């Protein structure tokens, strides 16, 4: 173990080049996501991050969730090719949750009702034919990437980077938290050495919405897919944690709004957006945008948060407490819960970020 930690520290020093030089420079970010594609919220979440002079993307890391990990990796690597960002490294990560399995999720549906979205394990349909491990990557209309993933796992890459740039790296988590939990278990100082965690998840008080509205918009999939990883992550000693969930459910771009982004700014990225438009909430794009422009937040609330890991009806659901009632001895930590953002300004910024890819291909 000592030899492993020593080699890890050496790798961090060699990768980080000059951490001191970045303190007054762009915000350093790593975006961990379950990059279902082509198109859609997962892939499009990198648009506010790339070509942004305020940010430096150290790498993109991939975790199983909305799709199988190998398919997600192919989709984000292909988008980097389309957008002209082959220099951004991609690191493959966890292919399964820590404890949750296909079999356990089937049993859960039998006991407590159907999950509206099961990601790689059946999407919005049946789990009857879902394999226990990820299948090979199939053909998709965006084409297969030539760009290859890097040679170390996502968790190790994240550990290396936070130690190469102590207290400077923002982790954007827009998928299940499996890679983060692995990093925390490999290196207990990982969370405290990062700058902050901003994550998509932590839906609160949406039970009635799942009855009267879009059921998937009331499903906290990123936490439900790997509850144990979420618990490990949210009880780790981050300097700051921000939750982005309910606030993103009503933020959408229409097809006409997407087409307007490309009008007069025809680029491979605007073509990609229009071609692979998916009429869904901009969950992950909002999360990334808040990192790029924190002033988009117009209202937030601090509360202690944890995730239920008991195998019951609440498995994977987020719970919050005020300061006076929080079970602090159990390691729960304070989370800033985003409650409102400036939606018109977000849409204007997002259009500009997408148009900013002009000439990069």
């Amino acid at each position: 173990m000592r030899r492993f930690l020593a080699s890890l520290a050496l790798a961090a020093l060699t990768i980080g080049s000059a951490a001191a030089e970045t303190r007054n420079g762009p915000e350093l970010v790593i975006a961990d996501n379950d990059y279902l594609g082509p198109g859609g919220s997962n892939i499009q979440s990198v648009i506010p991050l790339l070509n942004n002079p305020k940010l430096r993307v150290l790498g993109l890391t991939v975790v199983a969730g909305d799709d199988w990990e190998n398919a997600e990796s192919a989709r984000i690597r292909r988008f980097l090719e389309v957008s002209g960002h082959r220099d951004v490294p991609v690191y493959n990560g966890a292919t399964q949750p820590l404890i949750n399995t296909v079999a356990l999720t089937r049993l859960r549906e039998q006991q407590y009702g159907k999950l509206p979205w099961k990601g790689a394990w059946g999407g919005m349909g049946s789990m009857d034919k879902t394999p226990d491990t990820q299948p090979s990557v199939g053909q998709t209309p965006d084409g297969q990437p030539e760009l290859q993933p890097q040679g170390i796992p996502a968790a190790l890459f994240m550990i290396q980077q936070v130690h190469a740039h102590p207290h400077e790296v923002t982790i954007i988590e827009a998928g299940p938290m499996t890679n983060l939990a692995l990093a925390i278990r490999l290196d207990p100082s990982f969370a405290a050495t990062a700058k902050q965690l901003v994550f998509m998840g932590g839906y609160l008080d949406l039970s009635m919405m799942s009855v009267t509205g879009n059921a998937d918009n009331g499903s906290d999939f990123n936490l439900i897919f790997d509850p144990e990883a979420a618990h490990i992550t949210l009880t780790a000693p981050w300097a700051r944690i921000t939750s982005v969930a309910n606030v993103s459910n009503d933020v959408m771009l229409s097809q006409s709004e997407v087409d307007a982004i490309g009008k007069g700014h025809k680029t491979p990225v605007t073509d990609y957006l229009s071609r692979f438009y998916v009429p869904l909430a901009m969950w992950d794009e909002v999360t990334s945008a808040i990192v790029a422009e924190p002033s988009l937040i117009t209202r937030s609330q601090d509360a202690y948060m944890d995730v239920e890991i008991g195998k019951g009806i609440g498995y994977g659901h987020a719970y919050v407490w005020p300061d006076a009632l929080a079970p602090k001895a159990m390691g729960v930590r304070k989370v800033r819960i985003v409650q409102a953002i400036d939606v018109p300004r977000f849409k204007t910024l997002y259009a500009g970020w997408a148009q900013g890819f002009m000439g990069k291909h």
Side-chain angles (χ1 to χ4, degrees):
M1 185 64 178
R2 289 179 182 175
R3 186 177 300 171
F4 166 76
L5 292 175
S7 63
L8 196 61
L10 178 61
L13 289 174
T14 58
I15 285 179
S17 61
E21 295 178 6
T22 67
R23 290 194 182 102
N24 296 319
E27 181 91 1
L28 304 182
V29 299
I30 295 172
D32 190 61
N33 207 329
D34 47 348
Y35 292 102
L36 172 66
S41 186
N42 306 82
I43 298 292
Q44 292 164 192
S45 68
V46 302
I47 287 176
L49 309 179
L50 303 174
N51 275 7
N52 191 327
K54 296 182 179 181
L55 305 174
R56 176 183 161 201
V57 179
L58 298 174
L60 305 178
T61 53
V62 186
V63 63
D66 279 337
D67 203 349
W68 296 100
E69 178 266 357
N70 55 353
E72 297 166 347
S73 176
R75 299 286 63 75
I76 191 58
R77 285 183 280 121
R78 180 61 186 137
F79 180 78
L80 291 175
E81 292 176 345
V82 169
S83 67
H85 284 275
R86 291 172 177 261
D87 58 325
V88 177
V90 175
Y91 295 82
N92 290 350
T95 63
Q96 299 279 354
L98 298 182
I99 293 175
N100 195 22
T101 62
V102 171
L104 283 172
T105 303
R106 286 198 189 104
L107 180 60
R108 174 183 181 156
E109 287 201 324
Q110 292 170 14
Q111 293 175 317
Y112 305 114
K114 299 292 185 182
L115 293 171
W117 174 252
K118 292 174 281 290
W121 295 351
M124 292 186 290
S126 169
M127 296 185 68
D128 292 347
K129 297 182 179 180
T130 301
D132 292 326
T133 57
Q134 65 182 9
S136 59
V137 179
Q139 296 294 320
T140 58
D142 59 333
Q144 295 303 312
E146 296 177 359
L147 184 66
Q148 294 300 306
Q150 301 298 305
I152 64 170
L156 291 184
F157 166 72
M158 289 192 282
I159 291 171
Q160 289 175 348
Q161 291 302 311
V162 299
H163 286 287
H165 310 281
H167 313 297
E168 296 181 44
V169 179
T170 292
I171 306 293
I172 303 171
E173 179 56 82
M177 298 186 181
T178 319
N179 287 335
L180 292 181
L182 291 171
I184 290 163
R185 285 296 187 251
L186 283 168
D187 175 13
S189 69
F190 167 73
T193 310
K195 179 178 180 179
Q196 63 175 331
L197 169 66
V198 180
F199 77 98
M200 168 58 218
Y203 282 132
L204 301 170
D205 305 321
L206 292 185
S207 295
M208 185 55 71
M209 183 176 179
S210 69
V211 176
T212 61
N214 184 330
D216 188 42
N217 284 15
S219 172
D220 214 342
F221 174 77
N222 289 342
L223 305 187
I224 290 171
F225 191 75
D226 195 340
E228 288 78 13
H231 167 71
I232 290 169
T233 300
L234 294 181
T235 54
W238 303 90
R240 190 174 196 184
I241 305 174
T242 299
S243 168
V244 183
N246 302 38
V247 69
S248 62
N249 269 337
D250 296 326
V251 183
M252 297 180 65
L253 289 177
S254 66
Q255 180 72 66
S256 61
E257 286 176 314
V258 171
D259 292 340
I261 291 174
K263 188 175 182 180
H265 297 273
K266 189 174 179 59
T267 71
V269 168
T270 58
D271 287 347
Y272 181 98
L273 287 176
S274 184
R275 182 183 179 193
F276 298 117
Y277 166 74
V278 180
L280 291 173
M282 302 179 75
W283 298 290
D284 298 356
E285 297 98 325
V286 169
T287 306
S288 293
I290 283 172
V291 173
E293 289 288 342
S295 61
L296 284 170
I297 300 172
T298 58
R299 189 172 76 253
S300 65
Q301 175 67 54
D302 288 348
Y304 287 83
M305 180 181 289
D306 200 359
V307 176
E308 176 61 61
I309 57 174
K311 301 298 193 297
I313 193 170
Y315 186 50
H317 288 229
Y319 291 91
V320 292
W321 299 266
D323 186 84
L325 301 180
K328 298 173 188 176
M330 301 300 293
V332 296
R333 297 189 179 275
K334 191 168 286 187
V335 174
R336 178 178 62 160
I337 300 166
V338 178
Q339 295 181 301
I341 65 167
D342 186 338
V343 175
R345 182 166 172 248
F346 162 75
K347 289 187 174 184
T348 299
L349 286 170
Y350 193 81
W353 287 321
Q355 292 165 352
F357 285 88
M358 178 176 285
K360 285 291 292 183
H361 186 61

